[in-house]
């Protein structure tokens, strides 16, 4: 059996990582072997390294990386040979094969214990990645794999857009102008919405406008409760209540962030009396991946302006430090 050699970054325990040589066998039945082109670093990857990710959502030692793009190099039995050579991205959260949750990609209906690429299973901080082919999403021929590494976070906010139930002309506030928020702006602008970005300072104004924001403010208190939908993508304590107070009566609020400390005090009186609907997103189901990939293929979604840094796989610790330093880094990519 063919053995392919490569490299991977492995976090052995919180605060400790190592670059290791790897070998990968040919994929088994139903599997595909992907040569990783690029892999983004997410805030949750920093949590894995720092040891602050909840214990039920990580298993050490682990090769991180869930925001990857790559090319299929081999497939196992039962997988169409036509996939070989195609550019792909892939879902990370696992569901049991053959169940309704698997068919729909319903991350809320897991019939098994939590498993996800880059957290409990080997991820994309590696030359090679093996995963079930049913989780792959094909990219157009000649797609920019560097940009495609941003499809995973876009899929998460694509689910938020779908839950927000917006239409052309909807007034939508996006709270937070990090990677998730700005990708969300692109999707909403592509859907014909009027988007207002709320961010704690002015540093992302130009980029938010480039992504399609019609308005930008650093002070949510200057806005009334006028928005048809509010999508929260900040993940800081207290932001859920701020987001709720931006929604009009009968509006929808979709929460995507997970604050390090739970300091929100949502008022039942406020929610019920104003008939505000609060929904949440944890991971992206298949419908959201399909939405994001189609938007990418149509040119509506372009993560390229968000990419600020690239590092070789051997420089993973430097990449994590760059993000932690908060010197303007937005989307940092590793290139295996």
């Amino acid at each position: 059996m063919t053995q392919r050699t490569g490299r991977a970054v492995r976090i052995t325990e919180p605060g400790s990582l190592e670059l290791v040589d790897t070998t990968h066998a040919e994929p088994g039945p139903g599997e595909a072997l992907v040569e990783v082109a690029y892999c983004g670093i997410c805030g949750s990857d920093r949590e894995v390294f720092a040891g602050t990710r909840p214990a039920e959502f990580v298993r050490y030692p682990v090769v991180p990386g869930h925001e990857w793009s790559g090319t299929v190099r081999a497939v196992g039995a039962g997988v169409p040979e036509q996939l070989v050579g195609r550019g792909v991205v892939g879902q990370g959260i696992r569901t049991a094969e053959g169940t309704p949750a698997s068919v729909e990609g319903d991350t809320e209906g897991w019939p098994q214990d939590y498993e996800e690429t880059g957290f409990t299973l080997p991820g994309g901080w590696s030359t090679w990645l093996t995963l079930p082919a049913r989780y792959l999403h094909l990219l157009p021929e000649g797609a920019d794999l560097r940009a495609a590494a941003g499809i995973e976070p876009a899929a998460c906010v694509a689910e938020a857009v779908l839950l927000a139930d917006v239409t052309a002309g909807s007034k939508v506030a996006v709270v937070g102008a990090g990677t998730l928020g700005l990708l969300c702006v692109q999707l909403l602008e592509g859907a014909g919405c009027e988007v207002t970005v709320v961010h704690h300072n002015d540093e992302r104004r130009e980029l938010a406008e480039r992504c399609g924001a019609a308005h930008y403010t650093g002070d949510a208190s200057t806005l009334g409760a006028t928005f048809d939908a509010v999508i929260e993508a900040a993940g800081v304590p207290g932001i859920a209540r701020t987001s709720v107070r931006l929604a009009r009566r009968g509006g929808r609020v979709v929460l995507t962030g997970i604050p390090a400390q739970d300091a929100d005090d949502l008022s039942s009186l406020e929610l019920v009396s104003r008939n505000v609907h609060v929904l949440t997103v944890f991971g992206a189901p298949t419908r959201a991946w399909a939405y994001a990939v189609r938007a990418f293929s149509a040119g509506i979604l372009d993560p390229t302006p968000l990419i600020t840094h690239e590092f070789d796989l051997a420089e993973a610790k430097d990449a994590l430090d760059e993000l932690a330093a908060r010197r303007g880094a937005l989307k940092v990519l590793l290139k295996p």
Side-chain angles (χ1 to χ4, degrees):
M1 183 175 289
T2 303
Q3 293 279 343
R4 301 173 190 251
T5 60
R7 306 177 298 164
V9 171
R10 183 167 58 205
I11 296 179
T12 55
E13 61 184 7
S16 178
L17 61 73
E18 59 185 4
L19 181 70
V20 297
D21 294 325
T22 62
T23 58
H24 287 259
E26 293 298 290
E31 293 182 334
L33 179 67
V34 175
E35 184 176 12
V36 178
Y38 293 90
C39 191
I41 300 179
C42 173
S44 55
D45 297 318
R46 289 178 53 203
E47 291 173 359
V48 171
F49 181 68
T52 56
R53 185 168 173 84
E56 64 267 33
F57 297 121
V58 64
R59 186 165 60 238
Y60 299 97
V62 65
V63 175
H66 56 286
E67 299 182 359
W68 59 268
S69 63
T71 304
V72 176
R73 295 303 184 195
V75 295
V79 181
E81 285 286 341
Q82 296 93 315
L83 266 64
V84 176
R86 291 295 302 270
V88 293
V89 291
Q91 296 176 222
I93 294 176
R94 301 296 199 265
T95 53
E97 188 170 3
T99 66
S102 174
V103 173
E104 298 298 330
D106 178 10
T107 58
E108 302 304 317
W110 303 326
Q112 60 183 40
D113 291 337
Y114 166 80
E115 297 281 4
E116 184 174 4
T117 299
F119 297 108
T120 65
L121 299 168
W125 292 15
S126 177
T127 308
W128 301 100
L129 177 62
T130 301
L131 74 164
R134 62 195 176 96
Y135 293 116
L136 297 178
H137 289 263
L138 294 178
L139 300 174
E141 295 284 357
D144 181 355
L145 295 182
R146 179 174 176 267
I151 291 178
E152 192 279 340
C156 293
V157 287
E159 176 65 0
V161 171
L162 290 167
L163 290 175
D165 196 25
V166 295
T167 189
S170 292
K171 290 182 60 178
V172 185
V174 174
V175 182
T179 297
L180 288 175
L182 293 172
L183 292 173
C184 188
V185 171
Q186 291 187 4
L187 294 174
L188 289 166
E189 197 271 341
C193 299
E194 180 186 327
V195 185
T196 297
V197 170
V198 182
H199 192 63
H200 64 278
N201 60 37
D202 206 48
E203 67 180 9
R204 299 275 166 79
R205 178 185 294 274
E206 182 179 350
L207 187 53
E209 291 173 349
R210 182 177 174 186
C211 288
H215 313 286
Y216 184 105
T217 182
D219 185 0
S221 67
T222 63
L223 304 172
T226 60
F227 292 95
D228 302 309
V230 181
I231 297 178
E232 177 275 317
V236 297
I239 205 67
R241 190 162 197 175
T242 297
S243 301
V244 166
R245 290 180 172 174
L246 292 174
R248 64 166 172 79
R249 180 175 177 81
R252 290 190 169 212
V253 177
V254 186
L255 307 177
T256 73
I258 303 177
Q261 289 142 356
D262 190 1
D264 278 306
D265 181 20
L266 294 181
S267 164
S268 297
L269 175 61
E270 187 174 5
L271 292 173
V272 176
S273 63
R274 295 180 49 231
N275 193 30
V276 173
H277 306 272
V278 178
L279 305 101
T280 62
V281 173
F282 180 78
T286 297
R287 68 170 189 162
W289 275 91
Y291 188 109
V293 170
R294 288 173 182 170
F296 178 82
S297 301
I300 293 168
L301 174 70
D302 180 14
T304 305
L306 281 58
I307 300 171
T308 56
H309 296 75
E310 292 181 35
F311 290 86
D312 182 78
L313 200 61
E315 303 170 309
K317 181 58 169 60
D318 295 334
L320 288 166
D321 290 343
E322 185 63 43
L323 272 174
R326 298 184 181 277
R327 293 181 294 224
L330 186 54
K331 179 46 61 183
V332 175
L333 299 181
L334 291 179
K335 189 174 181 181

